[in-house]
Amino acid sequence: MLSHLSQGAWLLHHPETADAPFFRSLPSGALYPMVALATVVASQALISAVFALTRQAIQLGYCPPLRIVHTSPGHRGQIYLPGVNGGLMLACVAVVLGFRSSGALAAAYGVAVAGTMAITTVLFAAVVTYYVGWVNVRAQRGGGMPRGLKRLYGVMQRNAYHTPDYFRLPSGQVMELGARVEL
């Protein structure tokens, strides 16, 4: 958040650097180290996301079983997929050789992001199942809760909006799970 706020402050004083405010705000000697750092951060984010998504695809049966190496005995999410890592390397080399310039890559990336978002939105709306929980609160005689508080809970439950209706969820894609609570 501080990075974005500082870039905004920089742009207020230097609007001509709107094409790359982060890199244009750096002192001349820090440009290459920051490009290297940004590359490492971006590549680690990509690798982590691809490994996590591939593992989930394997668990759901959408991907053939691949070798998964757990790199930490205490954290199940710390994984390494050697075959996927090699595929990422080949894909990166192909992208660099294919586009030959960062400008061409940036233009292709903008189109790809917009297309991916549109496709994902359509697919998500068609296949998702919404799981909704509800609680049926029932007052019983006696018990430890004061009678007035039991009445308040009853009024709140009767006036509560039905969750699928509130969020305008499609009725054919909602799974309701409920519980009865005796007060």
Side-chain angles (χ1 to χ4, degrees), residues 38-49:
T39 303
V40 169
V41 169
S43 65
Q44 286 301 309
L46 174 73
I47 290 167
S48 296

Side-chain angles (χ1 to χ4, degrees), residues 29-120:
L31 179 62
Y32 290 115
M34 289 308 289
V35 168
L37 179 63
T39 303
V40 169
V41 169
S43 65
Q44 286 301 309
L46 174 73
I47 290 167
S48 296
V50 169
F51 283 1
L53 289 172
T54 303
R55 178 178 176 209
Q56 290 172 6
I58 291 168
Q59 290 171 336
L60 292 170
Y62 295 126
C63 180
L66 300 172
R67 183 169 165 245
I68 299 175
V69 178
H70 293 274
T71 59
S72 170
H75 300 284
R76 296 275 308 154
Q78 299 282 338
I79 59 173
Y80 172 69
L81 286 89
V84 173
N85 196 52
L88 278 174
M89 181 203 61
L90 293 175
C92 287
V93 169
V95 165
V96 168
L97 294 176
F99 286 101
R100 298 189 185 263
S101 76
S102 59
L105 179 59
Y109 177 73
V111 172
V113 168
T116 302
M117 288 176 64
I119 291 168
T120 304

